């Protein structure tokens, strides 16, 4: 599959003419409006906006369609660090040895002390009280497999519910292999949002996600999913890391999601951590071809399939909270603002490790925190003239920081092509 280039003409900072496959679209991302225009209309728009020849027909069109959003100014948030969401990496231990693990889980494993857990929860609870919020969020991910220390997880949930009598949104990312009927019931009882990692049919899953002893983990993972299904777990997602090994088996993943009645999310592999030497970044044309085929199949069988590259049209400037807004506590008491930066020897640790936590609360490195808070799509020179910037929000901050403040062409190509396809589909163009 070859990618057909999308020609983009920037009419204003937030209005674009897009051309592909003999089709021209006027796209106003801030207003979430897309209109197909003919050659005469294209010429009129260019004359009006670029050549300075005011056209009353163009002005009337913009008024009728409601295209009027101004380019926003996003202030850098230098307020006090008051998160009400917490990411807890309870352990860096893991029972698997995934070939692409960003955290190199299992290497010199450390488990979090309960005193550190309590300090973490106390901090967000106090913030929520100060800010008069009705909800806090606690997620379990980053570094290792949380269910290796299930007894500690139980204590965390018990403590959190004793400290906060309003809504708590719990979520967990797990490899699924350690789930038992007891654990499934616990997760259901506490309304956990659950993400289970599955990479394909048995042979491919075992190739990417072996146990520490080299045995396959697929059967254990499927058993865990079965326990969750038997517990009537509704808030369940299967997350699949897509590599050259499983790119041709995406429909198999759709079938697995369909079997267990779950949503499905595909994420192309990022060659970081253990994956730096073991995996290769996917090409944009190949991912787009196979993802499109899989999505058509998923729609046919009733599976909700998505990707970070593929979402609704709501304009946004922040890709994620990994720009100084994330409060992720690691087992050794370090605070990271990215759940993928989990070790002191990680490439970006000196930028993302924003402090340490003790019984008195976070001890922050203010200059690191403020540097991260400047990361938004409006501050990236690469994105200034891009029609897709409000859609992708500039992409992963960690990837950008490790690549001289530029996102790889692969990322940009995938985002632009999926945005075009979604415009054509959703606006019936």
């Amino acid at each position: 599959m070859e990618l057909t280039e999308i020609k983009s003409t920037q009419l204003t900072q937030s209005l674009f003419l897009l051309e592909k496959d003999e089709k021209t679209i006027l796209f106003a991302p801030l207003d979430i409006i897309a209109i197909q225009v003919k050659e005469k209309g294209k010429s009129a728009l260019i004359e009006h906006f670029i050549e300075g020849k005011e056209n009353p027909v163009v002005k009337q069109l913009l008024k009728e369609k409601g295209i009027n959003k101004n380019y926003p100014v996003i202030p850098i948030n230098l307020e006090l660090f008051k998160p009400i969401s917490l990411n807890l990496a309870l352990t860096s231990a893991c029972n698997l040895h995934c070939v692409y693990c960003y955290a190199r889980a299992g290497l010199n494993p450390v488990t979090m002390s309960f005193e550190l857990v309590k300090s973490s929860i106390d901090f967000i609870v106090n913030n929520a009280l100060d800010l008069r919020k009705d909800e806090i969020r606690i997620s379990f991910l980053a570094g290792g497999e949380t269910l290796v220390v299930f007894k500690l997880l139980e204590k965390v949930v018990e403590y959190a519910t004793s400290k906060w009598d309003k809504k708590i949104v719990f979520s967990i990312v797990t490899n699924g292999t350690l789930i038992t009927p007891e654990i499934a019931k616990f997760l259901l009882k506490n309304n956990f949002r659950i993400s289970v990692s599955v990479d394909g049919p048995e042979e491919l899953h075992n190739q990417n996600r072996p146990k520490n002893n080299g045995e396959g983990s697929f059967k254990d993972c499927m058993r865990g999913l079965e326990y969750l299904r038997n517990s009537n777990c509704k808030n369940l997602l299967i997350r699949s890391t897509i590599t050259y090994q499983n790119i041709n088996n995406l429909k198999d993943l759709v079938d697995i999601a369909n079997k267990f009645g779950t949503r499905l999310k595909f994420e192309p592999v990022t060659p970081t951590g253990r994956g730096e030497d073991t995996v290769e970044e996917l090409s944009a044309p190949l991912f787009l071809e196979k993802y499109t085929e899989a999505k058509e199949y998923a729609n046919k069988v009733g599976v909700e399939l998505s990707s970070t590259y593929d979402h609704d049209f709501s304009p946004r400037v922040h890709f994620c909270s990994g720009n100084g807004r994330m409060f992720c506590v690691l087992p050794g008491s370090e605070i990271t603002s990215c759940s993928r930066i989990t070790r002191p020897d990680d490439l970006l640790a000196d930028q993302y490790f924003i402090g340490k936590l003790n019984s008195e609360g976070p001890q922050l490195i203010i200059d690191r925190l403020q540097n991260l808070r400047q990361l938004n799509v409006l501050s990236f020179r690469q994105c200034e003239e891009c029609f897709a910037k409000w859609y992708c929000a500039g992409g992963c901050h960690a990837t950008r920081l490790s690549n001289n403040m530029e996102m790889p062409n692969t990322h940009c190509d995938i985002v632009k092509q999926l945005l075009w396809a979604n415009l054509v589909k959703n606006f019936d163009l």
Side-chain angles (χ1 to χ4, degrees), residues 98-148:
C98 300
V99 297
Y100 49 68
C101 180
Y102 65 84
R104 289 167 283 174
L107 182 64
N108 304 318
V110 179
T111 295
M112 185 177 290
S113 71
F114 190 57
E115 291 305 310
L116 187 59
V117 167
K118 292 193 290 186
S119 183
S120 303
I121 294 173
D122 290 347
F123 180 60
I124 65 165
V125 165
N126 289 334
N127 291 340
L129 291 172
D130 288 346
L131 298 171
R132 298 182 179 179
K133 299 294 184 179
D134 295 324
E135 175 183 296
I136 62 173
R137 293 173 176 259
I138 303 178
S139 302
F140 300 91
L141 75 162
E145 170 54 52
T146 302
L147 296 183
V148 169

Side-chain angles (χ1 to χ4, degrees), residues 13 56 58 109 190 194 215 223 237 295 301 328 366 403:
Q13 288 180 312
V58 170
N190 291 285
I194 307 166
E215 294 179 359
R223 184 183 63 235
L237 168 75
K295 190 152 191 180
V301 299
C328 181
I366 299 300
N403 196 43

Side-chain angles (χ1 to χ4, degrees), residues 38-258:
K38 296 182 179 180
E39 190 65 29
K40 186 176 180 180
K42 169 187 166 183
S43 299
L45 287 162
I46 290 175
E47 288 178 357
H48 182 83
F49 286 106
I50 297 179
E51 298 176 8
K53 300 176 183 178
E54 187 172 297
N55 187 314
V57 176
V58 170
K59 292 178 68 176
Q60 183 63 25
L61 172 69
L62 300 180
K63 182 178 179 180
E64 289 179 355
K65 298 297 183 180
I67 299 175
N68 54 24
K69 288 284 178 66
N70 293 320
Y71 190 75
V73 175
I74 306 299
I76 298 172
N77 182 6
L78 298 181
E79 297 176 357
L80 294 176
F81 187 68
K82 276 188 171 291
I84 58 173
S85 295
L86 167 65
N87 287 3
L88 280 176
L90 294 184
T91 183
S92 57
C94 189
N95 62 320
L96 301 190
H97 191 84
C98 300
V99 297
Y100 49 68
C101 180
Y102 65 84
R104 289 167 283 174
L107 182 64
N108 304 318
V110 179
T111 295
M112 185 177 290
S113 71
F114 190 57
E115 291 305 310
L116 187 59
V117 167
K118 292 193 290 186
S119 183
S120 303
I121 294 173
D122 290 347
F123 180 60
I124 65 165
V125 165
N126 289 334
N127 291 340
L129 291 172
D130 288 346
L131 298 171
R132 298 182 179 179
K133 299 294 184 179
D134 295 324
E135 175 183 296
I136 62 173
R137 293 173 176 259
I138 303 178
S139 302
F140 300 91
L141 75 162
E145 170 54 52
T146 302
L147 296 183
V148 169
V149 289
F150 175 63
K151 294 301 180 184
L152 177 58
L153 174 63
E154 288 182 303
K155 291 179 63 178
V156 174
V157 171
E158 180 183 8
Y159 184 76
T161 53
S162 72
K163 296 290 290 187
W164 184 256
D165 59 4
K166 299 179 182 179
K167 184 177 181 180
I168 305 178
V169 178
F170 291 111
S171 62
I172 186 171
V173 178
T174 173
N175 61 43
T177 62
L178 300 178
I179 295 174
T180 63
E182 174 195 13
I183 290 175
K185 290 177 183 177
F186 169 82
L187 297 176
L188 180 66
K189 176 184 176 182
N190 291 285
N191 298 310
F192 266 74
R193 298 178 179 182
I194 307 166
S195 176
V196 178
S197 299
V198 182
D199 276 7
E202 185 167 2
E203 181 179 355
L204 295 175
H205 181 95
N206 290 341
Q207 181 179 339
N208 278 354
R209 305 179 63 80
K211 296 181 181 179
N212 286 326
N213 62 7
E215 294 179 359
S217 64
F218 181 79
K219 290 180 180 178
D220 290 345
C221 180
M222 293 301 103
R223 184 183 63 235
L225 282 168
E226 191 70 42
Y227 289 143
L228 291 173
R229 181 172 65 173
N230 292 342
S231 297
N232 295 314
C233 178
K234 303 298 183 184
N235 209 335
L236 180 60
L237 168 75
I238 287 178
R239 183 197 183 282
S240 302
T241 299
I242 308 305
T243 67
Y244 276 110
Q245 282 67 43
N246 63 4
I247 188 66
N248 292 312
N249 296 84
L250 302 191
K251 291 181 181 179
D252 293 321
L253 287 163
V254 174
D255 287 337
I256 292 172
N258 191 33

